[in-house]
């Protein structure tokens, strides 16, 4: 069935639309969105299997031939990312039942969440540059609503900044697409790649490549463009934070990966060199923030920035091994960041504060929460049997192999600081004297389901590296050989 | 013709940047409006401004490029939606926070 690859976009869309009609009925809202998320996960699993066994799946929407219509393309990378997105969405829906509060649930929370998933899955699957812009906007519009829903003062204030930054970056995206269109005269990604290789990447294409880096760097929070992220991610409630931290910035990184490996691979000296410098600076900036703060939200937020830097460094080295490492790390990071944001969400729910100096001794009363957090922290830092290890190993090894000693060294060092920053939360928050907190009746038992699910998945992902690796290396193979992608789309 | 358009768009971008760097929230939103005008005109210009009939099959060929017009139409409605949301957000923020000065929108917790 060739329409399979549209299902991860279509199911959340239909779920979201049908949820609009049941605004007041919370039970129906929860049931339908949970069922919709489950169907999305199932469809993504089938899609990954199909793409892995039968090669890249393409769908020319309404049967217009490839460069003229919109083509949806699902290679192994995008199928894997769609699967991770769907799993995280499912976990977030489940987590929201006990954390978001009935008032927000009644105000279109679940439909907007589904629309966010439409945007993210669409951005991962599309094969058309302007369609990518549209899916970005679908995603961003939903994220504006999720960020401001509830309307507390801090949310209103931070939404203004977040929207302003994203309006500017969207305008830049439109401008960049306009420039690219005037040079190559097409919007289909595979066709753009063919045209660029025909004209052999003159200077103007390099300028456009840097413009794309700026656009996607703002979305993905790369070094000089990450200033908006700490404030904006501080404002919303825990499940929304988990969705944002796991998905939104990763779409930017995926777009950098896609455009840089598919379009701009002819004259790599300048663009990939720039990306490398920015990636290393991103890691350093993230480390400084993660070490500096005594606020658990801020610590995890700056860890998002560090991970973006590590993935971008792997992309900039641009060997097959480093790209495999980046993909490995990307998926690991999506899962583990969602779990960590959920876990600190529970901590905040119990203690009523995110100030680490006011939290201690949680381990005595909440051992399940404590040990889940401990495993998640070790996985984040990349301790060998867990999921963060193989990706970082591949990135560091290929960095050393291609002579980028400074960059690879900093990636290696960053693990130490990441471990320090999350262990700071564990040691100060879970050990020490037991304190009495007002919100003891928080439904911790139920809230723990989703993070435990995600952490188990992360542990299995780390232990089953051998089983996962064929998928990853196949995804990296498509990235290093753009011909595979082009031939799949423009069947000639 | 494209040269003139490039200057006009450049001036729009310049004004947009200037307005978005100011303190008042409404000036910033006017800046985003100008920015999207600039971006839309840029798509039209970069698509080519050669003379031709409107892209309707009932007209005589040659036609102008229809693709940029479709892109602009899409971008216009998207920026319409975002601008409407942004304006309402600014209104709510003015009600709740009691200021439209971006210098006073700081800190970790709520302002008064």
């Amino acid at each position: 069935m060739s329409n399979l690859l549209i299902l991860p976009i279509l199911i959340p869309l239909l779920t979201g639309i049908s949820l609009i009609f049941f605004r007041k009925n919370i039970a129906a809202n929860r049931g339908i969105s949970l069922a919709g998320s489950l169907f999305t996960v199932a469809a993504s699993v089938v899609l990954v299997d199909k793409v892995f066994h039968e090669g890249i799946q393409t769908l020319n929407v309404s049967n217009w031939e490839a460069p003229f219509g919109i083509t949806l393309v699902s290679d192994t990378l995008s199928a894997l990312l769609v699967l991770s997105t769907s799993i995280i969405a499912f976990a977030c829906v489940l987590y929201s039942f006990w954390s978001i509060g009935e008032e927000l649930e009644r105000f279109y929370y679940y439909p907007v969440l589904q629309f966010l998933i439409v945007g993210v899955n669409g951005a991962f699957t599309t094969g058309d540059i302007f369609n990518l812009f549209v899916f970005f906007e679908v995603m961003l519009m939903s994220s504006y609503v999720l960020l401001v829903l509830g309307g507390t003062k801090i949310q209103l204030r931070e939404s203004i900044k977040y929207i302003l930054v994203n309006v500017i970056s969207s305008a830049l995206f439109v401008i960049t697409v306009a420039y690219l269109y005037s040079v190559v005269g097409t919007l289909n990604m595979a066709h753009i790649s063919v045209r660029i290789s025909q004209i052999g990447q003159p200077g103007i294409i390099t300028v456009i490549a840097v413009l794309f880096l700026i656009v996607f760097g703002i979305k993905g929070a790369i070094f000089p463009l990450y200033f908006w992220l700490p404030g904006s991610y501080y404002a919303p409630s825990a499940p929304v934070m988990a969705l944002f931290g796991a998905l939104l910035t990763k779409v930017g990184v995926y777009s950098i990966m896609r455009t840089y490996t598919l379009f701009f691979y002819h004259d790599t000296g300048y663009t990939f060199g720039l990306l490398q410098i920015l990636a290393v600076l991103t890691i350093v900036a993230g480390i400084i923030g993660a070490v500096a703060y005594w606020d658990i939200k801020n610590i995890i937020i700056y860890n998002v920035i560090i991970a973006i830097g590590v993935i971008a460094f792997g992309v900039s080295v641009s060997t097959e091994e480093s790209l495999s490492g980046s993909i490995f790390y990307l998926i690991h990071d999506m899962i583990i960041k969602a779990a960590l944001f959920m876990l600190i969400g529970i901590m905040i729910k119990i203690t009523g504060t995110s100030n680490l100096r006011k939290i201690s001794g949680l381990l005595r009363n909440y051992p399940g929460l404590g040990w889940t957090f401990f495993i998640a922290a070790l996985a984040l830092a990349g301790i060998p049997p867990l999921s963060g290890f193989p990706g970082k190993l591949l990135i560091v090894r290929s960095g050393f192999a291609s002579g980028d000693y400074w960059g690879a060294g900093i990636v290696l060092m960053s693990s130490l600081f990441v471990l320090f920053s999350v262990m700071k939360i564990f040691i100060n928050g879970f050990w020490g004297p037991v304190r009495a907190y007002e919100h003891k009746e928080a439904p911790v038992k139920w809230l723990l389901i989703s993070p435990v699910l995600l952490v188990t998945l992360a542990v299995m992902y780390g232990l089953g590296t051998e089983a996962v690796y064929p998928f990853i290396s196949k995804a990296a193979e498509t990235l290093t050989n753009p011909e595979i992608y082009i031939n799949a789309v423009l069947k000639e | 013709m494209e040269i003139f358009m490039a200057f006009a768009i450049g001036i729009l971008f310049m004004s947009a940047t200037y307005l978005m760097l100011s303190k008042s929230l409404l000036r910033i939103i006017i800046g985003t409006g100008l920015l999207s005008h600039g971006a839309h005109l840029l798509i039209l210009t970069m698509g080519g401004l050669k003379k031709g009939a409107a892209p309707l099959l009932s007209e005589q060929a040659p036609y102008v490029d229809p693709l940029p017009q479709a892109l602009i139409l899409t971008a216009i409605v998207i920026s319409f939606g975002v601008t409407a949301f942004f304006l309402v957000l600014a209104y709510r923020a003015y009600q709740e926070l009691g200021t439209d000065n971006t210098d006073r929108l700081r800190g970790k917790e709520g302002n008064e």
Side-chain angles (χ1 to χ4, degrees):
Chain A
M1 191 171 67
S2 65
N3 285 337
L4 175 67
L5 78 168
I6 207 172
L7 284 185
I9 307 172
L10 199 61
I11 296 173
L13 181 65
L14 293 178
T15 315
I17 291 171
S18 58
L19 282 174
I20 291 175
F21 299 105
F22 303 104
R23 189 190 140 192
K24 295 266 167 69
N25 188 342
I26 293 178
N29 253 300
R30 291 177 172 179
I32 294 173
S33 49
L34 198 64
S37 314
L38 260 181
F39 280 129
T40 319
V41 173
S44 327
V45 170
V46 178
L47 178 65
V48 168
D49 181 66
K50 180 143 175 141
V51 170
F52 183 67
H53 286 110
E54 295 172 26
I56 298 177
Q57 299 291 308
T58 62
L59 172 66
N60 291 325
V61 179
S62 56
N63 242 346
W64 289 94
E65 281 304 310
F68 304 113
I70 286 174
T71 313
L72 299 177
V73 186
S74 195
D75 63 350
T76 318
L77 172 61
S78 59
L80 285 173
L81 292 177
V82 164
L83 176 61
S84 335
T85 305
S86 311
I87 292 172
I88 288 161
F90 173 74
C92 279
V93 168
L94 200 61
Y95 186 86
S96 305
F97 290 175
W98 297 282
S99 82
I100 198 78
E102 290 199 355
E103 204 174 328
L104 295 191
E105 285 186 286
R106 217 173 275 132
F107 223 88
Y108 303 111
Y109 171 77
Y110 292 113
V112 177
L113 196 154
Q114 295 290 340
F115 292 139
L116 183 85
I117 303 306
V118 173
V120 174
N121 278 350
F124 285 144
T125 317
T126 187
D128 183 285
I129 197 77
F130 197 77
N131 198 228
L132 179 67
F133 164 74
V134 175
F135 275 124
F136 260 114
E137 288 301 312
V138 172
M139 175 183 95
L140 290 172
M141 268 295 228
S142 324
S143 72
Y144 303 154
V145 178
L146 283 179
L147 182 58
V148 82
L149 201 62
T152 59
K153 284 178 176 169
I154 180 168
Q155 281 178 310
L156 287 168
R157 204 176 62 216
E158 297 305 330
S159 302
I160 289 174
K161 299 170 190 170
Y162 179 70
I163 293 179
L164 181 62
V165 166
N166 279 305
V167 165
I168 294 169
S169 86
S170 298
L172 267 177
F173 197 171
V174 171
I175 292 163
T176 314
V177 169
Y179 284 140
L180 189 61
Y181 179 71
S182 79
V183 176
V184 298
T186 178
L187 295 169
N188 181 297
M189 294 212 228
H191 202 211
I192 291 173
S193 176
V194 172
R195 290 271 174 90
I196 288 178
S197 59
Q198 279 166 358
I199 56 176
Q201 196 160 353
I204 182 74
I205 295 289
T206 305
V207 173
I208 291 171
V210 174
L211 270 173
F212 267 126
L213 185 61
I214 294 171
V215 170
F216 296 136
I218 296 178
K219 313 268 188 206
I222 279 182
F223 163 64
L225 309 167
Y226 72 92
F227 50 85
W228 57 270
L229 187 137
S232 308
Y233 282 23
Y234 194 89
S237 53
V240 177
M241 238 178 351
L243 273 177
F244 282 18
L247 303 179
L248 297 194
T249 48
K250 308 303 185 290
V251 181
V253 175
Y254 163 81
S255 307
I256 291 176
M257 253 186 196
R258 183 61 82 202
T259 49
Y260 270 57
T261 56
L262 186 62
F263 299 169
F264 309 119
Y265 60 94
H266 302 284
D267 180 18
T268 55
Y270 183 75
T271 45
F272 282 72
L274 182 67
L275 181 61
Q276 187 152 32
I277 294 167
L278 294 183
V280 171
L281 289 174
T282 310
I283 299 175
V284 173
I287 287 174
I288 293 172
V291 171
Y293 278 99
W294 276 84
D295 185 303
I296 51 179
K297 281 193 207 171
N298 272 330
I299 292 173
I300 306 295
I301 286 168
Y302 277 96
N303 271 306
V304 172
I305 298 173
I306 298 176
I308 297 291
V310 171
I311 299 164
F313 180 77
V315 177
S316 75
V317 174
S318 156
T319 58
E320 189 155 348
E321 192 182 30
S322 78
L323 283 168
S324 316
S326 279
I327 297 166
F328 226 113
Y329 201 76
L330 180 58
I331 296 170
H332 142 79
D333 192 63
M334 288 168 84
I335 297 170
I336 207 74
K337 283 286 147 54
L340 276 172
F341 275 117
M342 287 173 183
L343 289 168
I344 62 164
I346 302 175
M347 288 173 72
I348 293 168
K349 198 135 199 136
I350 296 169
T351 62
T353 176
S354 64
N355 186 343
L356 194 50
R357 294 187 203 275
K358 291 185 185 160
I359 305 172
S360 73
L362 285 176
L363 197 59
R364 176 172 290 272
N365 291 325
Y366 306 97
L369 174 67
W371 294 118
T372 317
F373 186 88
F374 184 70
I375 297 170
L378 291 186
L380 182 72
I383 304 293
L386 299 166
S387 61
F389 176 68
K392 227 171 219 172
L393 175 72
L394 290 170
I395 292 174
V396 169
R397 201 167 67 181
S398 55
F400 280 128
S402 55
D404 304 313
Y405 297 108
W406 273 103
I410 286 176
V411 171
L412 212 53
M413 285 286 290
S414 75
S415 301
L416 211 60
F417 289 104
V418 167
L419 188 65
F420 170 72
S421 67
V422 279
M423 278 302 140
K424 188 162 92 180
I425 300 180
F426 185 74
I427 290 173
N428 291 288
F430 288 94
W431 289 356
V434 181
R435 297 194 198 188
Y437 295 108
E438 54 216 287
H439 298 280
K440 269 201 160 160
E441 73 285 358
V444 176
K445 209 198 303 176
W446 300 110
L447 282 172
L448 260 178
I449 297 174
S450 305
V452 165
L453 195 81
L454 289 176
V455 169
T456 316
L457 195 69
V459 170
M460 274 159 45
Y461 184 66
L463 290 177
T465 309
E466 293 288 324
V468 181
Y469 192 73
F471 292 92
I472 306 281
S473 72
K474 188 153 188 188
E477 192 193 338
T478 322
L479 288 187
T480 43
N481 303 306
E483 303 83 42
I484 304 177
Y485 186 98
I486 294 165
N487 290 337
V489 177
L490 307 168
K491 299 178 191 80
E492 282 158 313
Chain B
M1 189 61 196
E2 278 89 345
I3 300 287
F4 288 113
M5 287 299 280
F7 273 105
I9 295 163
I11 289 166
L12 276 175
F13 283 158
M14 186 183 72
S15 325
T17 314
Y18 177 75
L19 283 172
M20 284 190 295
L21 290 174
S22 56
K23 283 182 185 172
S24 154
L25 202 49
L26 269 181
R27 279 166 159 267
I28 291 173
I29 298 179
I30 293 171
T32 62
L34 288 184
L35 184 70
S36 52
H37 282 327
H40 300 155
L41 277 176
L42 187 78
I43 306 181
L44 196 69
T45 311
M46 298 309 269
L49 294 173
K50 291 178 291 295
K51 283 227 169 84
L56 299 167
L57 284 178
S58 54
E59 304 275 324
Q60 285 297 314
Y63 301 108
V64 295
D65 190 352
L67 190 61
Q69 304 191 8
L71 301 188
I72 291 169
L73 198 56
T74 315
I76 285 174
V77 292
I78 289 174
S79 69
F80 242 56
V82 175
T83 308
F85 188 82
F86 201 178
L87 277 168
V88 175
L89 181 71
Y91 179 61
R92 281 284 296 148
Y94 180 68
Q95 281 182 327
E96 286 282 319
L97 305 170
T99 179
D100 77 330
N101 188 336
T102 44
D103 266 358
R104 296 183 58 201
L105 302 175
R106 296 168 179 254
K108 283 255 172 273
E109 291 309 316
N111 310 52
E112 49 280 292

